[in-house]
Structures are given as structure tokens and as C-alpha cells.
Amino acid sequence: MIEFIQGYYAYIFLAATFTIGLYGMMMKQNLMKKVLGMSVVAACTILFWIVSAYKEGAGVTVLDPRYGVENPELYLNPLPHTLMLTAIVVAVVTLGVALALLIGIYREFKTLDEPTLLERMK
Amino acid sequence: MISSQAPVLIPITFLFAAMLVPLVGSVHRAAAHLTAVLGSALALYFSVIGMQATLAQGRISYHIAGWMPPIGIEFVLDPLSAFVCTLLCGVTFIVMVFGKRSVEYEIPQKEIAFYSLSMLLLGGLAGMVMTGDLFNLYVFLEIGALAGYALVAIGDKRAVVSAFRYLVMGTVGATFYLLGVALIFISTGTLNMADIAELMPLVQDSPAVIVGLVLIVLGTALKMALFPMHAWLPDAYTHASTTATALIAPIGTKVSAYVLLRVLFFVVDPDYLRNELDILAIIGYLGAIGIIWGSIMAICQSELKRMLAYSSVAQVGYIAVGIALASPLGFIGAILHALNHAVMKCCLFLVSGNMRLRLGHSSIPQMTNGLRKSMPWTSAAFTLAAISMIGLPPTAGFFGKWYLALGAIEQSHWIFLTALLISTILNVAYFFRVMERMYLKPQETGGVDYSEQTIARNEAPASMLIPTLFLAISLLVLGFANAWIVTNLIVPMIPGWL
């Protein structure tokens, strides 16, 4: 059990944080908190990709004469990290659109609290 | 020459048009609309050429910047994606022609933003259809989705709130999809779909791949509004402007359904999917529940656009049932129904746009038989599309349902067959309710003379009426040509193992 936790502690941490983010998105009544939850979920997904490519003691994917090419364990796969640059941009843009929509909602209804909002929309 | 570049030309055309519209619009306002129309016409031309080439010589693969597939990014045009892409570009072109007056009336002063965003949406959707790479699919999915949120937000007063809900649900879907791709990437080490399909038999028993698949299916199901995940759809469709709805409703959910089809039938090992994993059965039952639930909810609505939105939930269910059957007949049914539903739902939304322009509302209880006199062609188009939705031959809607029913009978899936039949009766209920008001219900005689002579002919302008009628007539054409479509277009795209 201890070994399992030691081996997968990053994934366990990410799973817990992802759940917290989802909880925030679904259950919180303040729309701003929903956006915060969304941001947490997006960050978790990005970290998941990065953690999955991490290797203890490995270096960058540039051929290093000291290590040679015999042992691939010494080289990281750079692809997930590079892909996550795109995913970070997408997450930031989503956050921006969400905040812009929140500003629109606030201007229109003068509240960000969901029950109040539903009442004012009638 | 063009045909070998077609896979990448279509999304690029849309993305380029999206950038061109604000530039042109800042010089001359009216030119923005023209640019959007021309952009979609060009994309339609490319997709038709691409489809001809695919049918003649098979799969076209384009390698971005000359890098070969497992490492480089691949854009693929095979019979399935060429067909979906042509459908998508065709519908867009018609809606863009329709859009001019409707956009001016419903969302004045926001035309340039609207056309730019709609081109961006289509660029994203076309990219989703073309790409042969799971991560690229995510990026295009988000491009399309972000443009979709903004398009929904440009609408009436409540549109911002429904756009926010759409954004929250859509982001959850996209995040699930990205997590699923991560798990599959960890196990196979590649993102190219064809490559994953080859490696899949080696790794498919590992829990990581199973969880990844489930997450991908969950994410796409959220995007295509499969039954319990459809909550964002009715609000988003109702409060957005008619033209935006007519773009998102027929195409957006279809493209997500296409992704589901692509992942389940072309990436995963088929025997495994059939025998070991019950994802297909679950999708099918959710679809069947969605068919009934969407139809019942549609009966309860008093606003035409909202009714059509709930009806969309039901129609997505048909496609899900077709996917779940996993047989040639089910596959034909799903694709044919996607085509028919895109055309008829687009036609119905255009009708609601015509009504909003001339009557100022599209609320069903306020309709009277004056409509038959004042807007005869719009009413006729509505009737034809409604008959097609119900599924009466010889309109197109019948044949999609016919293949689905045959597929259900072939595999003795009586639950699916029952859902199909019950929903047909429910469809009759909610469409005849509108038609009864349009053609039969007399107007209240409140002192004013409402006799037939005094009702002025107040038909929608030609730029809106012609697209509507064109779609309505093409429903008949699709119905009569369905045998040709199935043998020439749909049969070549059925994957070999079915």
C-alpha cells in the first residue's frame, strides 16, 4: 500500500485535485467559483500529461556524449510537454472567454449568484 | 492538384475567412457578409472536389510540412470525412446566404463579429472532421467550441447566461477528452489514429486504455448532447440568434457524433469493442432514453425554437442508436440520419427565423391560421420539414429511420425498435400541434375584421425564403435519391470489419 502511494503519489494528488475542481464547477452557486473550478480542472489535465512524461533522473532529448544512446531511460519524451504548451493556451483562452461572459452577465443582471440570477431572469 | 491538398484546404479556407471578415468589415460593413458567403462557397467547392477524388481513388492523406504520419500531423480525407465535410460546408453556405437579413434584424451592429465567429466555428469543425491525430482533434474541438460559446452569447438578454452554461459543460467535455487522450498516449506512445488502431490489440486490456476510452466517449457524448448530458443544449439554442442556432444545431452535434463514430469504429479494435467492452450498449441505451425523453420534453414547450432544441436531443439519440447497433445497417442509418437531420433541422430553424423577422416572435400559442395566408411558402417549408422529421415517405427522414429500424430488427434489439416507434408517434404529436395552429386555428375575432381578404401577404424576403425553400425541396430530393446516396456514398465508408 505504502509502495503504491509512493509510486503513484503524483497521480493520486492530481485525481484528488481534479475531483475538487469538478465539485467546484458543478456544486458551487457563485459563477466565479465555477470558473475557478474550471481552471483547476484544466490545470490538472495539463499536469497529468506532464507527470506522465516525467522520468526520475532523465535529461532533455538532446544526444549527450556522456550518456550515449544505449540507455533510453536517460532521455525524456518531449512530446507531452510540447503539446501542453498548446493546451495551456487553450485553457487560458477558455478562461478569458469565461471571464468575458461573466462580465456580460454581471452587467445584465447585477449578480453572479446563481439562485439570484435565476430569479432575475424570469 | 487541388484534390490532393483538399484535406487541409477546407479548414484553412474557413480560418482564413475568419481573419479576413473583420479586415474587410472595417473597410466596408456590408462586405463582411459577402466575404463569409464567398469563404463558405469556396470551402464547399473544395469539399466537393475532395469527395469526388476520394470516391475515385480512395483515402487522401496530407502530411503537414512534409513530415510523415506517425511523427508528423496528418490530415485525412476518406469517404466518411469527405461526406461529413461536404454536408457541413453545404449547410454553412445556405445558412450564410440566409443570414444577411436575419442577422441585421436580430443582432444589429454585431454582424462583423458574428460572421467572423461563424467562420471560426466552421474552421474548427472542419478541422475536427479532417484531422487524423487525436491531439489535433482536441485543439480544433476547442477552436470550434470557443467560437460556438461566443456565437451563443451574441443573442437576446439571457443568451450570456446560457452561453456560460454551455461553456462550463463544453469545457468539462473537452477536459475529459484530453484526459482520455493522455491515457491512450501513455499506453501506445502515439497520437496518430491509424497508428493507434494498429497498436490497440496489444494494449487494450490495460486499465489505462479502458479508462481512456471511457473518458473520450464521455467527453464526446457531452459535446454531442447525448441524453443525460444534454442540459446545456435547449437554453443555448433558444437564446442564441436564429442564424447562430441554424449553424450550431445541425452541424455542431453531428461533428461530435462523427468523432464518436471515428474513435469507436476506426481507432479501437472492433472485436474487443463488440465482445468485451459494453460501451456500445450503454451508448445505445442512453440514445434510446434520449429519443423518448427529448420527444416528451419537446411536446411540453411553447416556444418553437425551444421545441426544436429538445427535438435535437431526440435526434442525436437516433444517431447514437445507429452507432450502438455496430452493423452495416446501423452505420448506414446513423450516417443517413445525420445527413437528413442536418438538412431538416436547419430548414426548421430557418423557418423560425422567418417567423421572427415577420411576426416578431416564434411562440406556438400565438400562432393562428393567418400564418397560412400571410406566409404561405414558409408554412409550406415548415410542413415539409415536419413531415420529414416525423418520417413519412418519400421525404428524407423516413429512410434514415428505416435503416435504423431494419438494423434493430436484424439484431433483435427490440428496445431500440420500440423507442424508434414511440418517438415517431411523439414527433407526430409535437409537429402536428404547430401545424394545427398554422392551418386550422381561427383567429380571435376581437372587434377587428380578420376575414381572409384583410390578411396582408407578408412573406419573408427572398434572401431568406429561397434558402428555406431550397432546404425543404432538397429533403424530397434526398428522399428520392436515398438509394443512390447509400450505394455510392455511404457503403464505401463502412469499415471493413462491420
Side-chain angles (χ1 to χ4, degrees), chain A residues 14-72:
Chain A
L14 283 177
T17 325
F18 190 87
T19 320
I20 292 169
L22 268 186
Y23 170 82
M25 273 171 107
M26 297 300 158
M27 296 306 200
K28 287 290 172 192
Q29 296 196 330
N30 189 314
L31 297 186
M32 197 64 214
K33 288 185 182 167
K34 276 184 197 275
V35 173
L36 288 177
M38 209 174 78
S39 198
V40 170
V41 165
C44 272
T45 316
I46 291 164
L47 274 175
F48 185 83
W49 276 80
I50 291 175
V51 165
S52 73
Y54 175 74
K55 274 187 231 163
E56 187 80 42
V60 289
T61 348
V62 178
L63 183 60
D64 191 329
R66 281 178 298 165
Y67 301 140
V69 287
E70 286 77 33
N71 192 0

Side-chain angles (χ1 to χ4, degrees), chain A residues 25 41 45 83 90 108 121, chain B residues 135 142 157-158 172 175 182:
Chain A
M25 273 171 107
V41 165
T45 316
L83 292 178
V90 169
E108 199 73 63
M121 270 171 65
Chain B
F135 188 78
E142 281 288 35
K157 205 175 155 225
R158 295 179 201 170
V172 173
T175 314

Side-chain angles (χ1 to χ4, degrees), chain B residues 223-259:
Chain B
K223 286 275 180 190
M224 75 183 252
L226 195 62
F227 163 63
M229 295 158 261
H230 67 279
W232 55 269
L233 186 141
D235 279 336
Y237 285 9
T238 314
H239 301 306
S241 68
T242 312
T243 322
T245 320
L247 268 185
I248 300 171
I251 305 171
T253 48
K254 298 296 165 309
V255 171
S256 304
Y258 161 87
V259 172

Side-chain angles (χ1 to χ4, degrees), chain A residues 18 25-26 31 35 38 41 45 48-49 52 77 80 83 86 90 93-94 97-98 101-102 108-109 118 121, chain B residues 135 138-139 142 146 153 157-158 160-161 164-165 167-168 171-172 175-176 178-179 181-183 185-186 191:
Chain A
F18 190 87
M25 273 171 107
M26 297 300 158
L31 297 186
V35 173
M38 209 174 78
V41 165
T45 316
F48 185 83
W49 276 80
S52 73
N77 183 0
L83 292 178
T86 318
V90 169
V93 174
T94 315
V97 173
L101 287 178
L102 282 190
E108 199 73 63
F109 299 101
L118 288 177
M121 270 171 65
Chain B
F135 188 78
Y138 166 76
V139 175
E142 281 288 35
L146 285 166
K157 205 175 155 225
R158 295 179 201 170
V160 208
V161 182
F164 182 76
R165 278 212 192 117
L167 183 140
V168 170
T171 311
V172 173
T175 314
F176 279 166
L178 188 60
L179 266 183
V181 174
L183 286 163
F185 178 73
I186 291 170
L191 288 165

